[in-house]
Amino acid sequence: MVATTLRSIKSLVPLLDRVLVQRVKAEAKTASGLFLPESSVKELNEARVLAVGPGGLDKDGKRLPMGVSQGDRVLIPQYGGAPVKVGEEEFTLFRDSEILAKINE
């Protein structure tokens, strides 16, 4: 897959049933203050929703509601999605149906 490079993430507006997320970074430091090497820090399946599309269309052309909204914390699949890179930051676009769960606080 080829990552797309943009100048600003605010210029990206998801279409239809797509959701723009940013993975939550794993802690690189233990509770006692020890720093962990990068090789031992795994990528988390938790992400924060930055933007959502208006929703897909059903067979009658009516808009289907989205399952998540901006600001939600969600579980995403380990693989998949469309990568988007803005500067050094990495984001991913998923379809609403690919989001595994919403995390309620």
Side-chain angles (χ1 to χ4, degrees):
M1 287 193 161
V2 177
T4 304
T5 304
L6 300 172
R7 290 193 177 121
S8 169
I9 197 63
K10 291 180 183 179
S11 65
L12 186 66
V13 178
L15 299 177
L16 297 174
D17 64 341
R18 291 185 178 72
V19 180
L20 179 68
V21 301
Q22 184 174 30
R23 284 186 190 270
V24 173
K25 301 218 187 293
E27 289 293 325
K29 189 166 64 167
T30 65
S32 61
L34 296 174
F35 286 95
L36 300 170
E38 281 188 37
S39 60
S40 69
V41 178
K42 290 188 174 183
E43 203 171 63
L44 297 177
N45 286 11
E46 184 179 327
R48 186 171 45 100
V49 176
L50 301 178
V52 296
L57 301 172
D58 66 9
K59 63 181 180 180
D60 298 324
K62 294 180 183 169
R63 199 64 75 185
L64 297 171
M66 295 292 282
V68 297
S69 56
Q70 186 175 349
D72 285 347
R73 286 179 40 220
V74 294
L75 289 179
I76 56 175
Q78 185 69 33
Y79 302 102
V84 179
K85 190 164 183 162
V86 179
E88 294 298 314
E89 295 288 322
E90 293 183 12
F91 306 90
T92 311
L93 276 167
F94 285 99
R95 290 190 178 273
D96 187 43
S97 60
E98 294 174 329
I99 303 292
L100 302 175
K102 188 159 67 168
I103 301 171
N104 291 329
E105 296 181 42

